[in-house]
Amino acid sequence: MWIHSTISDSVIAHFSTSTTSHHLWSSIEERFSRASSTHSIQLRTKLLSITQGNKSIPSLNNEIKTLSDQLAAAGEIISDKELVVVTLKTLHSDYIPFATAMRHRNPPVTWVTLEEVIIITGETLLEVEDTMLEDMQTPTYLEDITQVEVTLQHQNKKLVSYANNLAPNCTQKLNFSCQGRPPPSNLSAMLAAADIFDT
């Protein structure tokens, strides 16, 4: 009666045929172990599919820790080593040198230490990005970019002019196969008869 009184109304119908406390307890165990196993698989799949994306490092760490704790509550303890591997896998490409260094640490890094170091590394990367953005917006940088564009345009004009000057003297100006296009139809017969490219 005590076990029956603690079962919620939504599932009690599944155990109504039990005639002894042992049979009732075995039925409960069998039913919820299947549900627990499915839940564990879902949690583990979710943990392994986490990516950093636009998440901040603290937010990412919190998501990983939450799923790890939920798996532990479901009876699946994630080892510290596996948690380190999962965490490093979630980081985006800016963290590749950092992740490589952490994988080769001896002795191996613990997840608690990794959590702290990632936060510091993330803050450093943000500072570098901010500095680069500030440099790109300075008048000197913009003037340099403009100067490069002007120089390239000037060089391009000189090359076009030089090519135009060479064109009248080019020995291959009537060799349309050299130009990568067929000759006009009205010239094809004349060029074939003259056989000018063999002489």
Side-chain angles (χ1 to χ4, degrees):
M1 288 300 295
W2 177 80
I3 296 174
H4 267 293
S5 67
T6 59
I7 300 174
S8 64
D9 293 339
S10 59
V11 295
I12 197 167
H14 297 285
F15 310 113
S16 58
T17 57
S18 299
T19 54
T20 66
S21 58
H22 179 267
H23 185 250
L24 175 59
W25 187 257
S26 299
S27 300
I28 292 170
E29 185 178 27
E30 181 185 356
R31 179 173 182 80
F32 286 105
S33 65
R34 288 198 304 268
S36 178
S37 176
T38 303
H39 184 56
S40 295
I41 292 170
Q42 289 172 341
L43 288 172
R44 183 174 282 274
T45 302
K46 193 172 180 182
L47 179 66
L48 295 175
S49 62
I50 294 175
T51 55
Q52 183 179 355
N54 295 324
K55 300 171 193 153
S56 67
I57 292 297
S59 174
L60 179 68
N61 286 343
N62 186 56
E63 186 176 355
I64 292 168
K65 188 68 171 70
T66 299
L67 286 169
S68 172
D69 290 345
Q70 288 175 355
L71 276 164
E76 291 238 2
I77 306 296
I78 303 294
S79 70
D80 194 75
K81 185 184 292 186
E82 186 178 357
L83 208 53
V84 167
V85 171
V86 168
T87 303
L88 292 175
K89 185 183 74 67
T90 64
L91 301 173
H92 59 60
S93 57
D94 288 349
Y95 289 84
I96 288 176
F98 168 80
T100 303
M102 290 299 104
R103 287 189 182 98
H104 291 89
R105 282 263 311 247
N106 191 16
V109 65
T110 64
W111 192 80
V112 172
T113 303
L114 179 65
E115 184 182 19
E116 295 170 357
V117 177
I118 289 179
I119 291 172
I120 295 167
T121 305
E123 290 170 353
T124 305
L125 284 173
L126 286 174
E127 287 173 8
V128 170
E129 287 176 11
D130 290 343
T131 303
M132 288 176 65
L133 285 173
E134 287 174 9
D135 289 345
M136 289 175 67
Q137 292 169 357
T138 59
T140 305
Y141 180 86
L142 296 175
E143 286 170 11
D144 290 344
I145 291 296
T146 305
Q147 184 60 44
V148 170
E149 289 175 349
V150 168
T151 303
L152 287 173
Q153 288 172 2
H154 180 65
Q155 293 294 336
N156 190 41
K157 286 178 183 177
K158 285 173 69 176
L159 286 171
V160 170
S161 175
Y162 181 67
N164 288 335
N165 290 334
L166 286 177
N169 302 318
C170 180
T171 58
Q172 298 292 325
K173 63 184 175 184
L174 292 177
N175 186 353
F176 291 95
S177 63
C178 177
Q179 299 174 26
R181 60 190 179 99
S185 57
N186 58 348
L187 290 180
S188 296
M190 184 174 61
L191 292 172
D195 196 19
I196 61 173
F197 299 114
D198 289 336
T199 62

